[in-house]
Amino acid sequence: MIAYHYSITYQGDSSLQKDYRKNYLLAEPYIRALENGNGVFSAMLLLSMYKDRFMRSEKTGKFEYAKDATEAVFEYIRMTEFPTQVSRVGCIYGVENLEEAQRLAKEDWGSDPEEYEKLKILEVKLDPQKTVVLDQGFYNQAYDCMLDYHDEKDLQKIMELARRYFRKERSSEFIPEILSDGENKVLRVLSPV
């Protein structure tokens, strides 16, 4: 299977490293909190929210705790209910075509000309046996819910979105994303525009 991946750190390697950004390392404390109960998760999330708001980067203005916590809920659901499914925090992400990769690269990095200049879009051959196409729309909804988290009802909603994601359902705003945890080979390096 061929997919397109974008990166600002690509150094010319013949394959991509899975979980390059160490998403699992960031999600693991939230996973452990979930293992100890929803109340422990909620307390940790509120503490993380406080810390992140206090220390957030002036450059990005992003609240990263929400991404890490959302990834943790998805990984917890995957580990406990869909253990044979590809892990979001231990994979390579891609999209189905070059145009989508260019659009997403511009969306993610276009506001930072210095970083955007480093950007490469990679055409990658993935092991079809270790690759799945899932609906990022569910993840996006869960992330938005995490940003507005108030109580356990929100956690239950996020968990249900994760279940729908791993059941390979499609949302009304279907956004295909390719996850692969198998061998891969970089076929071509392309510029973002």
Side-chain angles (χ1 to χ4, degrees):
M1 169 182 244
I2 302 297
Y4 294 87
H5 172 86
Y6 56 92
S7 172
I8 61 166
T9 58
Y10 180 68
Q11 299 293 316
D13 298 331
S14 62
S15 64
L16 300 176
Q17 179 182 339
K18 295 175 214 101
D19 193 19
Y20 177 78
R21 298 188 75 185
K22 307 295 183 224
N23 288 326
Y24 182 79
L25 186 66
L26 297 170
E28 181 188 21
Y30 294 100
I31 295 168
R32 287 184 173 193
L34 282 165
E35 291 170 343
N36 286 288
N38 295 352
V40 176
F41 176 83
S42 293
M44 184 174 171
L45 183 65
L46 292 171
L47 179 61
S48 298
M49 191 183 300
Y50 170 78
K51 179 185 167 283
D52 200 64
R53 287 180 180 172
F54 180 73
M55 300 180 71
R56 77 177 147 140
S57 163
E58 290 296 320
K59 185 176 180 182
T60 66
K62 292 181 181 177
F63 296 121
E64 293 300 324
Y65 77 89
K67 180 186 182 321
D68 300 339
T70 305
E71 291 291 2
V73 172
F74 273 59
E75 182 63 7
Y76 178 77
I77 293 297
R78 186 203 64 80
M79 289 169 39
T80 58
E81 299 178 29
F82 303 90
T84 60
Q85 192 66 266
V86 175
S87 167
R88 284 183 53 85
V89 294
C91 72
I92 295 166
Y93 293 87
V95 293
E96 295 176 321
N97 60 62
L98 178 58
E99 294 76 22
E100 182 70 358
Q102 290 170 326
R103 185 186 70 75
L104 290 170
K106 182 100 172 142
E107 195 175 284
D108 286 352
W109 297 100
S111 64
D112 187 340
E114 190 176 305
E115 294 296 313
Y116 191 71
E117 193 172 293
K118 299 176 194 173
L119 194 66
K120 303 282 186 265
I121 294 181
L122 311 171
E123 183 179 74
V124 184
K125 183 177 181 180
L126 304 172
D127 177 353
Q129 301 301 313
K130 301 256 186 179
T131 302
V132 64
V133 179
L134 300 172
D135 184 356
Q136 185 182 342
F138 290 122
Y139 179 86
N140 293 350
Q141 290 174 46
Y143 175 81
D144 290 344
C145 190
M146 192 67 75
L147 281 173
D148 197 33
Y149 188 91
H150 289 96
D151 55 35
E152 193 171 320
K153 287 186 293 189
D154 292 324
L155 178 56
Q156 295 309 315
K157 180 179 179 183
I158 293 165
M159 289 177 149
E160 185 53 35
L161 289 164
R163 288 181 186 102
R164 294 184 69 193
Y165 177 88
F166 287 114
R167 283 194 300 254
K168 302 178 185 177
E169 292 181 23
R170 290 194 175 187
S171 66
S172 59
E173 54 200 57
F174 177 64
I175 303 167
E177 75 175 340
I178 300 169
L179 280 60
S180 180
D181 64 358
E183 297 298 315
N184 68 81
K185 179 177 169 79
V186 175
L187 301 176
R188 291 191 302 161
V189 179
L190 308 160
S191 68
V193 237

